[in-house]
């Protein structure tokens, strides 16, 4: 199967591009919410350009007995901090918009706390039919790159980062 491999350099450039577009849109987040674990590194790089604090959330597709669940559920949430989300502008960050299920779930959970606005940013949006939908309350959606529906290998999953970077030179075409 053809895969896309992105290097840390690629990811950094894509994150900066997202931050530039967030700024250009006039959206000034008060807080970045990172969806773990794939959203942690992208959120941290975006913070370099937007300079806002990061809160982390985690969701899982497995229950307490390790059985697959159809929908995501919380495994780590911002319980104390979520009391402070009312009236705040939130930038929700993840690495990939694949089925959109996790993103929909996280947006809905955040909306329960009366934020002023929730915007979504992902490094990569896969062109495909999505199982989930971004709620209509979300007026701003930033995808660093829109790519065909193929598996992405991120640099943080590489066991040999030099091999990974070398193979990234042979990515399938994107456009
Ligand atoms: P979505 O709402 O953002 O589309 O996420 P979805 O629920 O469809 O994704 C389920 C899991 O599959 C997520 O990981 C997501 O990051 C991962 N995933 C989907 N497509 C790719 C891909 O092309 N490459 C990689 N590396 N991962 C992909 P997760 O369960 O949240 O785990 P984590 O890796 O973020 O900790
Ligand atoms: Mg993820």
């Amino acid at each position: 199967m053809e895969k896309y491999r992105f290097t840390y350099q690629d990811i950094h450039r894509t994150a900066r591009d997202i931050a530039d577009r967030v700024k250009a849109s006039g959206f000034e987040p008060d807080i970045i919410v990172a969806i773990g674990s794939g959203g942690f590194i992208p959120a941290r790089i975006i913070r370099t350009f937007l300079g806002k604090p990061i809160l982390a959330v985690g969701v899982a597709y497995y229950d307490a007995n390790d059985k697959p669940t159809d929908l995501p559920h919380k495994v780590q949430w911002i319980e104390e901090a979520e009391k402070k989300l009312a009236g705040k502008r939130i930038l929700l960050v993840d690495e990939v918009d694949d089925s959109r299920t996790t993103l929909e779930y996280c947006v809905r959970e955040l909306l329960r706390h009366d934020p002023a606005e929730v915007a979504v940013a992902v490094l990569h949006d896969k062109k495909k039919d999505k199982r989930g939908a971004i709620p209509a309350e979300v007026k701003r959606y930033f995808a660093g790159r829109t790519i065909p529906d193929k598996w992405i290998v991120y640099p943080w999953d590489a066991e040999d980062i030099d091999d990974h970077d070398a193979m990234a030179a042979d990515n399938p075409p994107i456009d």
Side-chain angles (χ1 to χ4, degrees):
M1 191 180 81
E2 282 186 307
K3 293 177 182 171
Y4 289 111
R5 290 183 174 79
F6 295 108
T7 68
Y8 282 113
Q9 299 286 108
D10 294 327
I11 300 298
H12 203 100
R13 289 190 196 99
T14 302
R16 189 182 66 182
D17 186 52
I18 289 168
D20 285 346
R21 283 192 279 136
V22 169
K23 286 187 206 161
S25 78
F27 182 64
E28 279 185 47
D30 300 301
I31 201 150
I32 296 167
V33 173
I35 305 175
S37 63
F40 291 165
I41 295 173
R44 177 59 186 86
I45 303 172
I46 288 171
R47 173 174 153 76
T48 295
F49 304 104
L50 298 183
K52 299 299 175 187
I54 300 174
L55 296 177
V57 299
V59 295
Y61 288 82
Y62 292 90
D63 67 15
N65 302 313
D66 243 15
K67 294 259 157 47
T69 56
D70 200 33
L71 292 172
H73 60 273
K74 297 171 184 172
V75 290
Q76 175 194 357
W77 203 257
I78 39 183
E79 281 161 26
E80 263 312 299
E82 70 182 7
K83 295 176 195 145
K84 299 173 192 153
L85 296 179
K88 295 281 166 54
R89 293 179 298 265
I90 300 169
L91 182 65
L92 180 65
V93 175
D94 208 349
E95 88 281 40
V96 61
D97 178 342
D98 180 38
S99 72
R100 214 164 259 178
T101 319
T102 302
L103 283 170
E104 175 177 352
Y105 177 80
C106 290
V107 169
R108 289 196 189 288
E109 287 297 318
L110 292 174
L111 287 172
R112 291 172 50 206
H113 301 283
D114 300 315
E117 186 171 344
V118 178
V120 171
V122 294
L123 293 173
H124 301 114
D125 176 27
K126 293 193 201 173
K127 262 183 268 180
K128 64 193 290 183
D129 287 336
K130 307 283 187 178
R131 267 177 76 208
I134 306 280
E137 288 90 337
V138 174
K139 305 296 182 208
R140 293 177 167 98
Y141 171 89
F142 305 93
R145 304 187 75 172
T146 301
I147 64 170
D149 184 17
K150 296 183 193 301
W151 190 253
I152 303 164
V153 186
Y154 287 98
W156 45 85
D157 283 324
E159 291 192 356
D160 185 320
I161 192 65
D162 299 305
D163 281 353
H164 173 90
D165 284 5
M167 284 189 284
D170 298 322
N171 270 347
I174 288 189
D175 295 310

